[in-house]
Amino acid sequence: MATKLRQYLDQRGVPYELLTRPNSDQLPMRAPAPTQTAKSVILGDNGGYLMAVVPANHEVDLEFLRRYIGRELNLARLDDVQRIFNDCQPGAIPPIGEAYDMNILLDEVLFDWPDIYFHAGRISDLVHMRGHDFR
């Protein structure tokens, strides 16, 4: 689990369960349904970076976000993402922007989820928590 994520959750007393596949050479762990899994997408412009959090089976509508918040957002460059999330593996960025001093945009669909799963900074690790604790 990413160090910054663990510290953030533990310091706030947020209950969570860490699901880990002990050996990354093994078959993938049985993942929860995509409708229970959130992903983070890092966006940026001259005003800085922010994190969009959406269901794993959704895509971010950049045109909508550009109009909604009035910024010319684009996907962040991979080297910038790796610099910001230096304790995470590529493709396993946790959707907890505050742990990385980053503002977030949260898809309203996630407000209805009773449980949520997301990457914990490593491809082999997932966090499970109650939806209200995530929000």
Side-chain angles (χ1 to χ4, degrees):
M1 182 176 201
T3 303
K4 290 179 185 176
L5 176 63
R6 181 184 304 276
Q7 289 172 346
Y8 180 85
L9 295 175
D10 290 348
Q11 287 173 355
R12 285 157 182 76
V14 177
Y16 64 90
E17 174 186 17
L18 180 63
L19 307 173
T20 302
R21 185 179 67 225
N23 181 344
S24 60
D25 294 333
Q26 294 176 355
L27 293 174
M29 75 175 92
R30 184 169 174 235
T35 56
Q36 293 178 290
T37 306
K39 69 177 177 183
S40 58
V41 179
I42 310 305
L43 307 170
D45 63 7
N46 291 338
Y49 297 99
L50 58 87
M51 177 185 288
V53 180
V54 297
N57 61 348
H58 288 197
E59 292 184 8
V60 173
D61 184 343
L62 279 175
E63 287 303 318
F64 171 79
L65 286 180
R66 288 174 182 147
R67 287 190 311 272
Y68 183 73
I69 64 173
R71 290 176 58 182
E72 284 301 314
L73 296 169
N74 289 298
L75 293 175
R77 294 179 11 184
L78 183 58
D79 58 333
D80 290 335
V81 172
Q82 290 176 326
R83 180 181 44 77
I84 296 165
F85 297 91
N86 58 9
D87 63 343
C88 298
Q89 293 176 331
I93 305 300
I96 308 289
E98 290 181 341
Y100 295 87
D101 297 319
M102 185 173 289
N103 291 326
I104 66 165
L105 297 170
L106 187 62
D107 189 318
E108 63 187 20
V109 170
L110 301 174
F111 285 98
D112 296 329
W113 289 8
D115 290 277
I116 193 163
Y117 295 82
F118 56 87
H119 277 295
R122 296 179 46 89
I123 297 296
S124 60
D125 296 344
L126 285 179
V127 169
H128 166 239
M129 64 175 54
R130 304 290 302 162
H132 62 84
D133 292 325
F134 174 77
R135 291 181 293 282

